[in-house]
């Protein structure tokens, strides 16, 4: 499987080809993360992990900044015609470096 490209995801978002999973919407509400923050991460962030074998289509983890200047992670997948938002969360400093960019090794 091919890795997702941020430019492809950005183009799909610009064209409003977005599907929000129920899981993502529930978690975003719990975590007080807005749709605009999620879209801003996709439009201005960078892919930090690829999941090319994810089911039902390739996915990735994107790091960006929310409206209050906090690091925010967005997991999304794409089959080329839509972007599916899988979840969004603030990186946990136990699992990621302070910048949220690098996953710490499991102990």
């Amino acid at each position: 499987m091919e890795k997702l490209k941020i430019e492809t995801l950005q183009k799909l978002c610009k064209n409003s080809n977005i599907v929000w999973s129920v899981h993502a919407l529930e978690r975003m509400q719990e975590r007080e993360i807005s749709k605009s923050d999620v879209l801003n991460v996709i439009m201005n962030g960078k892919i930090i992990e690829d999941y090319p074998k994810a089911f039902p289509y390739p996915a990735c983890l994107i790091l960006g900044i929310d409206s209050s200047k906090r690091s925010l992670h967005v997991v999304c997948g794409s089959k080329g015609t839509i972007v599916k938002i899988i979840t969004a969360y603030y990186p946990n400093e136990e699992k990621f470096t302070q910048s949220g960019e690098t996953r710490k090794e499991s102990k």
Side-chain angles (χ1 to χ4, degrees):
M1 278 287 174
E2 206 172 293
K3 289 182 178 182
L4 295 176
K5 293 183 172 57
I6 194 74
E7 297 81 12
T8 304
L9 300 173
Q10 291 167 343
K11 184 176 179 182
L12 291 168
C13 286
K14 277 184 194 166
N15 293 328
S16 299
N17 294 333
I18 306 162
V19 174
W20 299 84
S21 72
V22 172
H23 173 82
L25 293 171
E26 289 172 348
R27 295 300 168 266
M28 288 164 57
Q29 186 173 12
E30 286 172 10
R31 298 167 180 152
E32 299 180 354
I33 298 169
S34 69
K35 282 185 174 183
S36 62
D37 277 340
V38 169
L39 294 175
N40 184 58
V41 166
I42 295 170
M43 297 309 292
N44 298 294
K46 66 178 181 176
I47 295 173
I48 58 171
E49 291 184 2
D50 287 290
Y51 314 122
K53 296 180 182 175
F55 180 83
Y57 30 82
C60 63
L61 174 61
I62 302 171
L63 169 65
I65 304 295
D66 75 0
S67 55
S68 59
K69 307 293 183 221
R70 292 174 60 194
S71 293
L72 180 62
H73 282 173
V74 173
V75 179
C76 62
S78 180
K79 59 181 177 183
T81 55
I82 58 112
V83 173
K84 182 164 189 175
I85 309 301
I86 299 166
T87 196
Y89 60 91
Y90 293 104
N92 177 328
E93 288 188 20
E94 291 175 21
K95 294 182 181 179
F96 287 88
T97 58
Q98 190 172 0
S99 68
E101 190 167 345
T102 308
R103 193 178 293 269
K104 291 181 179 178
E105 300 211 11
S106 315
K107 293 182 180 168

